[in-house]
Structures are given as structure tokens and as C-alpha cells.
Coordinates of all heavy atoms in Angstrom, one line a residue:
M516 N 0.8 -1.2 0.0 CA 0.0 0.0 0.0 C 0.9 1.2 0.0 O 1.8 1.4 0.8 CB -0.9 0.0 1.3 CG -1.8 1.2 1.3 SD -3.0 0.9 2.7 CE -3.2 2.6 3.2
K517 N 0.6 2.1 -0.9 CA 1.4 3.3 -1.1 C 0.8 4.4 -0.2 O -0.4 4.7 -0.3 CB 1.4 3.7 -2.5 CG 2.4 4.8 -2.8 CD 2.4 5.1 -4.3 CE 3.3 6.3 -4.6 NZ 2.8 7.6 -4.0
I518 N 1.7 5.0 0.5 CA 1.3 6.1 1.4 C 1.9 7.4 0.8 O 3.1 7.5 0.6 CB 1.6 5.9 2.8 CG1 0.8 4.8 3.4 CG2 1.4 7.2 3.6 CD1 1.0 4.5 4.8
E519 N 1.1 8.4 0.6 CA 1.6 9.6 0.0 C 2.1 10.5 1.2 O 1.4 10.8 2.1 CB 0.5 10.4 -0.7 CG 0.9 11.7 -1.3 CD 1.9 11.5 -2.4 OE1 1.7 10.9 -3.4 OE2 3.1 12.0 -2.1
L520 N 3.4 10.9 1.1 CA 3.9 11.7 2.2 C 4.0 13.2 1.9 O 4.3 14.0 2.8 CB 5.3 11.2 2.6 CG 5.4 9.8 3.2 CD1 6.8 9.4 3.6 CD2 4.5 9.7 4.5
K521 N 3.9 13.5 0.6 CA 3.9 14.9 0.3 C 2.5 15.5 0.3 O 1.6 15.0 -0.2 CB 4.5 15.1 -1.1 CG 6.0 15.2 -1.1 CD 6.6 15.7 -2.5 CE 6.7 14.5 -3.4 NZ 7.3 14.9 -4.7
S522 N 2.4 16.6 1.0 CA 1.1 17.3 1.1 C 1.4 18.8 1.0 O 2.4 19.3 1.5 CB 0.5 17.0 2.5 OG -0.8 17.6 2.6
T523 N 0.5 19.4 0.3 CA 0.6 20.9 0.1 C -0.3 21.5 1.2 O -1.5 21.4 1.1 CB 0.2 21.3 -1.3 OG1 1.0 20.6 -2.2 CG2 0.3 22.8 -1.4
L524 N 0.3 22.2 2.1 CA -0.4 22.9 3.2 C -0.8 24.3 2.7 O 0.0 25.0 2.1 CB 0.5 23.0 4.4 CG 0.4 21.9 5.5 CD1 1.4 22.2 6.6 CD2 -1.0 21.8 6.0
S525 N -2.1 24.6 2.9 CA -2.6 25.9 2.6 C -2.8 26.7 3.9 O -3.7 26.2 4.7 CB -3.9 25.9 1.8 OG -3.7 25.1 0.6
C526 N -2.1 27.8 4.1 CA -2.3 28.5 5.3 C -3.7 29.2 5.4 O -4.1 29.8 4.4 CB -1.2 29.6 5.4 SG -1.5 30.7 6.8
P527 N -4.5 28.9 6.4 CA -5.8 29.5 6.5 C -5.8 31.0 6.8 O -6.8 31.7 6.6 CB -6.4 28.8 7.7 CG -5.3 28.4 8.6 CD -4.1 28.1 7.6
K528 N -4.7 31.5 7.2 CA -4.6 33.0 7.5 C -4.3 33.8 6.2 O -4.9 34.8 6.0 CB -3.5 33.2 8.5 CG -3.6 32.4 9.8 CD -4.7 33.0 10.6 CE -4.8 32.2 12.0 NZ -6.0 32.6 12.7
C529 N -3.3 33.3 5.5 CA -2.8 34.2 4.3 C -3.0 33.5 3.0 O -2.8 34.1 2.0 CB -1.4 34.6 4.6 SG -0.2 33.3 4.4
G530 N -3.3 32.2 3.0 CA -3.5 31.5 1.8 C -2.2 30.9 1.1 O -2.2 30.4 0.1
H531 N -1.1 31.1 1.8 CA 0.2 30.7 1.3 C 0.2 29.2 1.2 O -0.2 28.5 2.2 CB 1.3 31.2 2.3 CG 2.7 30.8 1.8 ND1 3.3 31.4 0.7 CD2 3.6 29.9 2.3 CE1 4.5 30.9 0.5 NE2 4.7 30.0 1.5
K532 N 0.7 28.7 0.1 CA 0.8 27.2 0.0 C 2.3 26.7 0.0 O 3.1 27.4 -0.6 CB 0.2 26.8 -1.4 CG -1.3 26.9 -1.4 CD -1.9 26.4 -2.7 CE -3.4 26.2 -2.7 NZ -4.1 27.4 -2.3
K533 N 2.5 25.6 0.7 CA 3.8 25.1 0.7 C 3.8 23.6 0.8 O 3.0 23.0 1.5 CB 4.6 25.6 1.9 CG 6.1 25.3 1.9 CD 6.8 26.0 3.0 CE 8.3 25.9 2.8 NZ 8.8 24.5 2.8
E534 N 4.6 23.0 -0.1 CA 4.7 21.5 -0.1 C 5.6 21.0 1.1 O 6.7 21.5 1.2 CB 5.2 21.0 -1.4 CG 5.1 19.5 -1.6 CD 5.5 19.0 -2.9 OE1 6.7 18.9 -3.2 OE2 4.6 18.9 -3.8
E535 N 5.0 20.1 1.9 CA 5.8 19.6 3.0 C 5.8 18.1 3.0 O 4.9 17.5 2.4 CB 5.1 20.1 4.3 CG 5.1 21.6 4.6 CD 6.4 22.1 5.0 OE1 7.4 21.3 5.3 OE2 6.6 23.3 5.0
I536 N 6.8 17.5 3.6 CA 6.8 16.1 3.8 C 6.3 15.7 5.1 O 6.8 16.3 6.2 CB 8.3 15.5 3.6 CG1 8.9 15.9 2.3 CG2 8.3 14.0 3.8 CD1 8.3 15.4 1.1
M537 N 5.3 14.9 5.2 CA 4.6 14.6 6.5 C 5.4 13.6 7.3 O 6.0 12.6 6.7 CB 3.2 14.1 6.3 CG 2.3 15.1 5.6 SD 0.6 14.5 5.5 CE 0.8 13.5 4.0
P538 N 5.5 13.8 8.6 CA 6.2 12.8 9.4 C 5.3 11.5 9.5 O 4.1 11.6 9.5 CB 6.3 13.4 10.8 CG 5.2 14.4 10.8 CD 5.0 14.9 9.4
T539 N 5.9 10.3 9.5 CA 5.1 9.1 9.6 C 4.9 8.6 11.0 O 4.1 7.7 11.2 CB 5.8 8.0 8.7 OG1 7.1 7.8 9.1 CG2 5.8 8.4 7.2
D540 N 5.7 9.1 11.9 CA 5.7 8.5 13.2 C 4.9 9.4 14.2 O 4.7 8.9 15.3 CB 7.2 8.4 13.7 CG 7.9 9.8 13.7 OD1 7.5 10.7 13.0 OD2 8.9 9.9 14.4
A541 N 4.4 10.5 13.8 CA 3.7 11.3 14.7 C 2.8 12.3 13.9 O 3.0 12.5 12.8 CB 4.6 12.2 15.6
C542 N 1.7 12.7 14.6 CA 0.9 13.7 14.0 C 1.4 15.1 14.2 O 1.9 15.4 15.3 CB -0.5 13.6 14.5 SG -1.4 12.2 13.9
Q543 N 1.4 15.9 13.2 CA 1.9 17.3 13.4 C 0.7 18.2 13.8 O -0.2 18.5 13.0 CB 2.6 17.8 12.1 CG 3.3 19.1 12.4 CD 4.2 19.5 11.3 OE1 4.5 18.7 10.4 NE2 4.6 20.8 11.3
F544 N 0.8 18.7 15.0 CA -0.4 19.4 15.5 C -0.2 20.9 15.3 O -1.1 21.6 15.0 CB -0.5 19.2 17.0 CG -1.9 19.5 17.5 CD1 -3.0 18.7 17.3 CD2 -2.1 20.7 18.3 CE1 -4.2 19.0 17.7 CE2 -3.4 21.0 18.7 CZ -4.4 20.2 18.5
F545 N 1.0 21.4 15.3 CA 1.3 22.8 15.1 C 2.1 23.0 13.8 O 3.0 22.1 13.5 CB 2.1 23.4 16.2 CG 1.3 23.4 17.5 CD1 1.6 22.5 18.5 CD2 0.3 24.3 17.8 CE1 0.9 22.4 19.7 CE2 -0.4 24.2 19.0 CZ -0.1 23.3 19.9
Y546 N 1.9 24.0 13.1 CA 2.6 24.3 11.9 C 2.8 25.8 11.8 O 1.8 26.5 11.8 CB 1.9 23.8 10.7 CG 2.7 24.1 9.4 CD1 3.8 23.4 9.0 CD2 2.2 25.2 8.6 CE1 4.5 23.8 7.8 CE2 2.9 25.5 7.4 CZ 4.0 24.8 7.0 OH 4.7 25.2 5.9
E547 N 4.0 26.3 11.7 CA 4.2 27.7 11.5 C 4.3 28.1 10.0 O 5.2 27.5 9.3 CB 5.5 28.2 12.2 CG 5.6 29.7 12.2 CD 6.9 30.1 12.8 OE1 7.1 30.0 14.0 OE2 7.8 30.7 12.1
C548 N 3.4 28.9 9.6 CA 3.4 29.3 8.2 C 4.7 30.0 7.9 O 5.1 30.9 8.6 CB 2.2 30.2 7.9 SG 2.2 30.9 6.3
T549 N 5.3 29.6 6.8 CA 6.6 30.3 6.4 C 6.4 31.7 5.9 O 7.4 32.4 5.8 CB 7.4 29.4 5.4 OG1 6.5 29.2 4.3 CG2 7.8 28.1 5.9
N550 N 5.2 32.0 5.5 CA 5.0 33.3 5.0 C 4.5 34.3 6.0 O 5.2 35.4 6.2 CB 3.9 33.2 3.9 CG 3.6 34.5 3.2 OD1 4.5 35.2 2.7 ND2 2.4 35.0 3.2
C551 N 3.4 34.0 6.8 CA 2.9 35.0 7.7 C 3.3 34.7 9.2 O 3.0 35.5 10.1 CB 1.4 35.1 7.6 SG 0.5 33.6 8.1
K552 N 4.0 33.6 9.4 CA 4.6 33.2 10.7 C 3.5 32.9 11.7 O 3.7 32.8 12.9 CB 5.5 34.3 11.2 CG 6.6 34.7 10.3 CD 7.5 33.5 10.1 CE 8.7 33.9 9.1 NZ 9.4 32.7 8.7
K553 N 2.2 32.8 11.3 CA 1.2 32.4 12.2 C 1.3 30.9 12.4 O 1.6 30.1 11.5 CB -0.2 32.6 11.6 CG -0.5 34.1 11.5 CD -1.1 34.6 12.8 CE -1.6 36.0 12.6 NZ -1.9 36.7 13.9
V554 N 1.1 30.5 13.7 CA 1.1 29.1 14.0 C -0.3 28.6 13.8 O -1.2 29.0 14.5 CB 1.6 28.8 15.5 CG1 1.5 27.3 15.8 CG2 3.1 29.3 15.6
I555 N -0.5 27.6 12.9 CA -1.8 27.1 12.7 C -2.0 25.8 13.4 O -1.0 25.0 13.6 CB -2.1 27.0 11.2 CG1 -1.2 26.1 10.5 CG2 -2.1 28.4 10.6 CD1 -1.5 25.9 9.0
R556 N -3.2 25.5 13.8 CA -3.6 24.3 14.4 C -4.7 23.6 13.7 O -5.4 24.2 12.9 CB -4.0 24.6 15.9 CG -2.9 25.1 16.7 CD -3.3 25.2 18.2 NE -4.4 26.2 18.3 CZ -5.2 26.3 19.4 NH1 -5.0 25.5 20.4 NH2 -6.2 27.1 19.4
P557 N -4.9 22.3 13.9 CA -5.9 21.5 13.2 C -7.3 22.1 13.5 O -7.5 22.6 14.6 CB -5.8 20.1 13.7 CG -4.4 20.0 14.3 CD -4.1 21.4 14.8
L558 N -8.3 21.9 12.7 CA -9.6 22.1 13.0 C -10.1 21.1 14.0 O -9.6 20.0 14.1 CB -10.5 22.0 11.7 CG -10.1 23.0 10.6 CD1 -10.9 22.6 9.3 CD2 -10.5 24.4 11.0
E559 N -11.2 21.4 14.6 CA -11.8 20.5 15.6 C -12.1 19.2 15.0 O -12.8 19.2 13.9 CB -13.0 21.2 16.2 CG -13.4 20.6 17.6 CD -14.5 21.3 18.2 OE1 -14.7 22.5 17.9 OE2 -15.3 20.7 19.0
G560 N -11.7 18.1 15.6 CA -12.0 16.8 15.0 C -10.9 16.2 14.2 O -10.9 15.1 13.8
D561 N -10.0 17.1 13.8 CA -8.9 16.6 13.0 C -7.6 16.4 13.9 O -7.5 17.1 14.9 CB -8.5 17.6 11.9 CG -9.5 17.6 10.7 OD1 -10.1 16.5 10.5 OD2 -9.6 18.6 10.0
C562 N -6.8 15.4 13.5 CA -5.7 15.0 14.3 C -4.5 15.8 14.0 O -3.6 15.9 14.8 CB -5.4 13.5 14.2 SG -4.9 13.0 12.6
C563 N -4.4 16.4 12.9 CA -3.2 17.1 12.5 C -3.4 18.2 11.5 O -4.5 18.2 10.8 CB -2.0 16.2 12.1 SG -2.3 15.5 10.5
V564 N -2.5 19.1 11.3 CA -2.7 20.2 10.4 C -2.8 19.7 8.9 O -3.5 20.4 8.1 CB -1.6 21.2 10.5 CG1 -1.6 22.0 11.8 CG2 -0.2 20.6 10.3
Y565 N -2.3 18.6 8.6 CA -2.4 18.1 7.2 C -3.8 17.6 6.9 O -4.3 17.8 5.8 CB -1.4 16.9 7.0 CG 0.0 17.4 7.1 CD1 0.8 17.1 8.2 CD2 0.6 18.2 6.1 CE1 2.1 17.5 8.3 CE2 1.9 18.7 6.2 CZ 2.7 18.3 7.3 OH 3.9 18.8 7.4
C566 N -4.5 17.1 7.9 CA -5.9 16.7 7.7 C -6.8 17.9 7.5 O -7.7 17.8 6.8 CB -6.4 15.9 8.9 SG -5.6 14.3 9.1
S567 N -6.4 19.0 8.2 CA -7.3 20.2 8.1 C -6.9 21.0 6.9 O -7.8 21.6 6.2 CB -7.1 21.0 9.3 OG -7.7 20.4 10.5
Y568 N -5.7 21.2 6.6 CA -5.2 22.2 5.6 C -4.4 21.6 4.5 O -4.0 22.4 3.6 CB -4.5 23.3 6.3 CG -5.3 24.0 7.4 CD1 -4.9 23.8 8.8 CD2 -6.4 24.7 7.1 CE1 -5.6 24.4 9.8 CE2 -7.2 25.3 8.1 CZ -6.8 25.1 9.5 OH -7.5 25.7 10.5
G569 N -4.0 20.4 4.6 CA -3.2 19.8 3.5 C -4.0 19.3 2.4 O -5.2 19.0 2.5
S570 N -3.3 19.0 1.3 CA -4.0 18.4 0.1 C -4.1 16.9 0.2 O -4.9 16.3 -0.5 CB -3.1 18.8 -1.2 OG -1.8 18.3 -1.0
V571 N -3.4 16.3 1.2 CA -3.4 14.9 1.4 C -3.6 14.7 2.9 O -3.0 15.3 3.7 CB -2.1 14.3 0.9 CG1 -2.1 12.8 1.1 CG2 -1.9 14.6 -0.6
A572 N -4.5 13.7 3.2 CA -4.6 13.4 4.6 C -3.3 12.8 5.2 O -2.5 12.2 4.4 CB -5.8 12.4 4.8
C573 N -3.2 12.9 6.5 CA -1.9 12.4 7.1 C -1.7 10.9 7.0 O -2.7 10.2 6.8 CB -1.8 12.9 8.5 SG -2.8 12.0 9.7
P574 N -0.5 10.4 7.1 CA -0.2 9.0 6.9 C -1.0 8.1 7.8 O -1.4 7.0 7.4 CB 1.3 8.9 7.3 CG 1.9 10.2 6.9 CD 0.8 11.2 7.2
S575 N -1.3 8.6 9.0 CA -2.1 7.8 10.0 C -3.5 7.5 9.4 O -4.0 6.4 9.6 CB -2.1 8.5 11.3 OG -0.9 8.6 11.9
I576 N -4.0 8.5 8.9 CA -5.4 8.4 8.3 C -5.3 7.5 7.1 O -6.2 6.7 6.8 CB -6.0 9.8 7.9 CG1 -6.1 10.7 9.2 CG2 -7.3 9.6 7.2 CD1 -7.2 10.2 10.1
Q577 N -4.3 7.7 6.3 CA -4.1 6.8 5.1 C -4.0 5.4 5.5 O -4.4 4.5 4.7 CB -2.9 7.3 4.3 CG -3.1 8.7 3.6 CD -1.9 9.1 2.8 OE1 -1.4 8.3 2.0 NE2 -1.4 10.3 3.0
E578 N -3.4 5.1 6.6 CA -3.2 3.7 7.1 C -4.5 3.3 7.8 O -4.6 2.1 8.2 CB -2.0 3.6 8.0 CG -0.7 3.7 7.3 CD 0.5 3.6 8.2 OE1 0.3 4.1 9.4 OE2 1.5 3.1 7.9
K579 N -5.4 4.2 8.0 CA -6.6 4.0 8.8 C -6.3 3.5 10.2 O -7.1 2.7 10.8 CB -7.5 2.9 8.1 CG -8.0 3.5 6.7 CD -9.2 2.7 6.2 CE -9.9 3.3 5.0 NZ -9.1 4.0 4.1
N580 N -5.3 4.0 10.7 CA -5.0 3.8 12.2 C -5.7 4.9 12.9 O -5.8 6.0 12.4 CB -3.5 3.8 12.5 CG -2.8 2.6 11.9 OD1 -3.4 1.5 11.8 ND2 -1.5 2.7 11.7
D581 N -6.0 4.6 14.1 CA -6.5 5.7 15.0 C -5.3 6.3 15.7 O -4.7 5.8 16.6 CB -7.4 5.2 16.1 CG -8.8 5.1 15.6 OD1 -9.1 5.8 14.6 OD2 -9.6 4.4 16.3
C582 N -4.9 7.5 15.2 CA -3.7 8.1 15.8 C -4.2 9.0 16.9 O -5.3 9.3 17.1 CB -3.0 8.9 14.7 SG -3.9 10.3 14.1
C583 N -3.2 9.4 17.7 CA -3.4 10.4 18.7 C -4.5 9.9 19.8 O -5.2 10.7 20.3 CB -3.9 11.7 18.2 SG -3.0 12.3 16.7
K584 N -4.6 8.6 20.0 CA -5.5 8.2 21.0 C -4.8 7.3 22.0 O -3.8 6.7 21.7 CB -6.7 7.4 20.3 CG -7.6 8.4 19.7 CD -8.8 7.6 19.1 CE -9.7 8.6 18.4 NZ -10.7 8.0 17.6
Ligands
ZN812 ZN1 0.2 32.2 6.4

């Protein structure tokens, strides 16, 4: 099963897009936008910023594991 590790994060504050490599061993809860320097957090119910703002769901979701529990 192929897991996509590249995700394009879209900053909810300024709309800046940046391609990032997602960590496979942990969920990334905080992400500092490289453009506006705002620290963004996941939306309620999401485990990481990639699930909320990325183009691809995080590896844990792709594996259908329950992460962060
Ligand atoms: Zn931003």
C-alpha cells in the first residue's frame, strides 16, 4: 500500500501554499506558516494540520489507524 507523504499545506490565514513532507511517526499538531509566521492548528475533530489544511490526509489516516488516541 502506497502512502503519500507529500502534502501541500494551505495557510488559513494568508493562503500561502507550501509543499511539506509529512512525518510518519507522529501527527503534526502545530505548523508555523513560512509566509505570515502564524502558528496554525488543526480544525476541531482533525488530528493534525495536514488533515485540516493539507492536500493529502496524514499518513495515519491513510493507514486507517487511530492516531493520537
Ligand atoms: Zn500564512
Side-chain angles (χ1 to χ4, degrees):
M516 183 171 147
K517 188 178 177 295
I518 293 180
E519 181 62 64
L520 291 181
K521 269 192 280 185
S522 181
T523 303
L524 268 177
S525 303
C526 174
K528 305 287 183 189
C529 70
H531 183 71
K532 288 183 167 58
K533 188 167 192 303
E534 189 174 82
E535 297 284 350
I536 305 296
M537 295 184 280
T539 55
D540 56 341
C542 285
Q543 188 167 347
F544 199 76
F545 298 103
Y546 175 79
E547 187 185 293
C548 174
T549 53
N550 184 54
C551 68
K552 305 298 180 190
K553 289 276 187 193
V554 175
I555 59 176
R556 293 187 298 165
L558 298 171
E559 203 175 332
D561 284 334
C562 63
C563 71
V564 290
Y565 295 106
C566 293
S567 293
Y568 304 112
S570 59
V571 179
C573 75
S575 299
I576 297 293
Q577 291 181 50
E578 288 177 327
K579 293 195 172 35
N580 287 335
D581 273 342
C582 66
C583 316
K584 282 183 182 168

